Amino acid sequence: MQEVLHHEQRVALGCLSCYNEGRLTYKWLNADELEEAHESGNLAKAVCSRADTIYHKRDEWHVQDYDGEIGRLRLGENPDIENLIQMMRLIDNDPDKYAVACIAAYDAYESPTADEVEEIADMMLYVGDQLLEDYFMEMAYACGDIKNGDYWESYIDWEHYARNCMFDYTKYTYHGDTYLLPHH
């Protein structure tokens, strides 16, 4: 098994006025720093120290880049900041669980909330690195659909069985592991 290093989720929050003037003025912020900037009442002033003038107003901000697993999502330049902070915290707390759940949530909802991400994370099944046919075979035995010693046990095509089972799931792969999200 390969070791995967996780690091803190960050965003490059920038001053839109500076950007429109041809300058990239931004700061990399983690969830706590972004929350502090949001609570200050003006995100642009939190990242730009240039004085306001008639031509330069620090009243608009935009996210220029994302760092970490949060970057896999389609959040754009102007996400809902409170929701973004919650998602960054979810991923920071348990990247293996919530990064893939965030991706699945964006497939299921147009603009998911952190609560919807948590709901999806709770529904996801962890398959790991085993083959889907092995996973569904183990499930069939565990549920009692088939028992050891059944006369027809050796005739089951587990690959075909797994393919049929997958009509009820969406498959996600994250760092070599497989996760399944049941369809509603």
Side-chain angles (χ1 to χ4, degrees), residues 120 122-125 168-170 172 179-184:
I120 284 183
D122 291 339
M123 291 188 321
M124 293 192 95
L125 303 172
D168 297 325
Y169 298 93
T170 301
Y172 292 91
Y179 297 80
L180 300 178
L181 179 63
H183 298 161
H184 300 336

Side-chain angles (χ1 to χ4, degrees), residues 147-167:
K147 295 174 181 55
N148 281 330
D150 281 348
Y151 70 93
W152 52 277
E153 180 179 24
S154 63
Y155 294 103
I156 298 174
D157 178 352
W158 290 109
E159 186 176 337
H160 183 76
Y161 179 78
R163 190 170 47 249
N164 286 343
C165 288
M166 283 304 296
F167 286 118

Side-chain angles (χ1 to χ4, degrees), residues 8-180:
E8 194 172 48
Q9 309 307 301
R10 300 183 312 160
V11 295
L13 185 69
C15 173
L16 192 57
S17 183
C18 289
Y19 179 79
N20 290 337
E21 293 170 1
R23 285 187 312 280
L24 286 178
T25 303
Y26 64 91
K27 286 184 183 174
W28 283 103
L29 305 175
N30 64 24
D32 293 335
E33 295 163 336
L34 184 58
E35 182 176 47
E36 185 179 314
H38 180 62
E39 288 173 354
S40 76
N42 189 323
L43 288 168
K45 284 184 180 177
V47 298
C48 178
S49 59
R50 194 161 176 239
D52 286 339
T53 66
I54 192 167
Y55 301 108
H56 181 83
K57 296 272 188 216
R58 295 175 297 163
D59 57 355
E60 293 185 277
W61 57 270
H62 66 138
V63 175
Q64 294 177 359
D65 200 1
Y66 295 87
D67 185 33
E69 297 304 317
I70 198 81
R72 295 173 144 218
L73 308 178
R74 303 175 296 268
L75 298 175
E77 289 185 345
N78 295 89
D80 176 291
I81 292 295
E82 291 173 0
N83 194 49
L84 174 62
I85 292 167
Q86 289 178 325
M87 287 200 194
M88 290 170 69
R89 286 198 171 122
L90 284 175
I91 295 172
D92 282 340
N93 289 336
D94 191 349
D96 292 328
K97 180 178 181 180
Y98 289 111
V100 70
C102 282
I103 295 166
Y106 272 89
D107 288 346
Y109 303 103
E110 185 175 318
S111 185
T113 65
D115 290 338
E116 290 167 333
V117 170
E118 286 189 271
E119 176 186 317
I120 284 183
D122 291 339
M123 291 188 321
M124 293 192 95
L125 303 172
Y126 176 72
V127 176
D129 61 356
Q130 71 181 15
L131 298 172
L132 285 175
E133 51 262 28
D134 293 339
Y135 176 78
F136 285 113
M137 178 181 69
E138 288 174 12
M139 280 186 57
Y141 279 101
C143 294
D145 290 343
I146 187 169
K147 295 174 181 55
N148 281 330
D150 281 348
Y151 70 93
W152 52 277
E153 180 179 24
S154 63
Y155 294 103
I156 298 174
D157 178 352
W158 290 109
E159 186 176 337
H160 183 76
Y161 179 78
R163 190 170 47 249
N164 286 343
C165 288
M166 283 304 296
F167 286 118
D168 297 325
Y169 298 93
T170 301
K171 176 182 170 183
Y172 292 91
T173 304
Y174 177 72
H175 290 301
D177 288 336
T178 300
Y179 297 80
L180 300 178

